Amino acid sequence: MGVVDGLAVIDELRFAADFSTICHTHAADAAWQQILAVTAEALRQVLQRHPAVTSIGIGFPGFIDPLRGTVAQSPNLPGLHDADLAGDLARLLQRPVVVENDALAAAYGEYRLHADSISDLIYMGLGTGVGGGLIVNHQPFAGQNGYAMEIGHIIVETDGRPCGCGNRGCMEQYASASGVSLTYQSLTGKQLDAASIARSAEQGDGDAMRAFDLAARALAQTLAHILKVVDVRTVVIGGGMSHAWPVMETVFMQRLERDLIPVLRGKIDVSVSSSGDHAGIIGAALLSVR
Ligand SMILES: [Zn+2]
């Protein structure tokens, strides 16, 4: 959590909470009450240190209804349906709360940090899943229902791996941190997290490199599809797994160039976020005061 003034994060507090495990081990209602309690308590600590805070913006993973501030569904947090995150937190904290999809918040933060040079931007967040955010003509584009740019759920493998969204073969089942772990496990029988697999890939482990190559191809293929639809030049990669970008970049760029229409080749500026978590924090905060 960060406290934002203008475009600066003036304080940052880190809290550890494993919402995924809570959702996998509790009934839906109990899981939601626990997520709310943990989040509200952390926010209370921030507000105690910064009583002048006027509004709260939250970037949350999942399909967010931006008008109601509800979590309609979250593929990596099973059981949550129409959870009233903004309403419940606003009641608990007595402050206005705005909830947006985490990747859209990060996209907006990246845009605002570079607003002097760009008007349009695609953000791809590589984490437990793969999120996407789109800025068009200086505005965040959430779609009419709020579910635009759910790029992790673009199907790259017909009848492929089952996904938390209910479909099969979604891109994030191959290109996210959990996707890389699944690929590595299918190749070696070993269960490792993506960060460990990235270290093995850097040391030349063939299976680890294959897992990241598959991730890079799935991600590049998806981005090529998206660019044919929205024709945006600036693409920012963020999220926890973006640390592994050096082991993905070559295969990613080769696949992207090959899958783009020829007139777009060489025109796409792909970079890794230099602001880390701050883009999402700044974006969520600024969206709460728009
Ligand atoms: Zn999916």
Side-chain angles (χ1 to χ4, degrees):
M1 292 187 186
V3 180
V4 175
D5 188 4
L7 284 176
V9 178
I10 57 169
D11 195 10
E12 201 175 340
L13 292 91
R14 295 199 168 259
F15 301 89
D18 185 349
F19 292 169
S20 179
T21 299
I22 292 173
C23 286
H24 280 97
T25 55
H26 291 71
D29 276 355
W32 180 241
Q33 290 310 319
Q34 206 167 330
I35 288 172
L36 263 185
V38 168
T39 310
E41 178 48 35
L43 280 163
R44 272 193 202 100
Q45 291 183 35
V46 179
L47 291 170
Q48 253 170 19
R49 274 164 66 133
H50 299 273
V53 164
T54 52
S55 68
I56 296 166
I58 295 182
F60 199 85
F63 308 148
I64 309 296
D65 179 334
L67 293 179
R68 295 189 301 141
T70 54
V71 182
Q73 188 196 347
S74 187
N76 295 303
L77 299 175
L80 297 192
H81 287 287
D82 286 323
D84 188 8
L85 183 57
D88 287 350
L89 279 179
R91 271 187 293 281
L92 289 169
L93 299 165
Q94 299 296 305
R95 297 280 203 297
V97 177
V98 168
V99 177
E100 255 306 348
N101 173 270
D102 56 345
L104 185 61
Y108 193 60
E110 292 287 350
Y111 156 70
R112 289 293 296 267
L113 289 169
H114 302 98
D116 49 343
S117 56
I118 54 169
S119 57
D120 302 73
L121 174 144
I122 286 171
Y123 174 88
M124 301 201 293
L126 313 182
T128 309
V130 178
L134 175 64
I135 306 297
V136 177
N137 197 18
H138 305 279
Q139 298 297 323
F141 184 85
Q144 285 191 300
N145 296 297
Y147 311 141
M149 288 295 281
E150 283 297 344
I151 62 173
H153 303 285
I154 289 176
I155 292 169
V156 295
E157 180 86 35
T158 305
D159 299 326
R161 293 175 186 162
C163 180
C165 75
N167 280 332
R168 279 182 169 270
C170 293
M171 180 263 272
E172 71 175 32
Q173 294 306 319
Y174 306 88
S176 66
S178 42
V180 167
S181 292
L182 281 173
T183 306
Y184 190 75
Q185 195 180 356
S186 73
L187 291 170
T188 65
K190 288 186 234 164
Q191 253 187 324
L192 283 181
D193 62 28
S196 310
I197 300 167
R199 281 193 294 277
S200 299
E202 280 162 9
Q203 289 157 10
D205 174 342
D207 290 323
M209 286 158 74
R210 272 185 280 282
F212 274 101
D213 286 354
L214 178 61
R217 285 198 303 274
L219 196 65
Q221 185 185 354
T222 306
L223 179 60
H225 291 323
I226 297 165
L227 291 171
K228 288 166 198 170
V229 178
V230 297
D231 185 10
V232 166
R233 276 173 182 244
T234 307
V235 178
V236 178
I237 312 281
M241 207 179 77
S242 62
H243 295 301
W245 188 244
V247 297
M248 299 172 71
E249 186 173 13
T250 304
V251 169
F252 175 91
M253 289 310 295
Q254 281 168 353
R255 184 80 235 180
L256 177 65
E257 287 293 297
R258 205 168 116 190
D259 286 3
L260 283 172
I261 48 175
V263 287
L264 283 178
R265 288 177 192 155
K267 292 200 169 82
I268 310 303
D269 173 19
V270 180
S271 63
V272 176
S273 168
S274 55
S275 46
D277 292 349
H278 281 192
I281 290 172
I282 292 168
L286 293 178
L287 286 170
S288 77
V289 292
R290 273 176 90 238

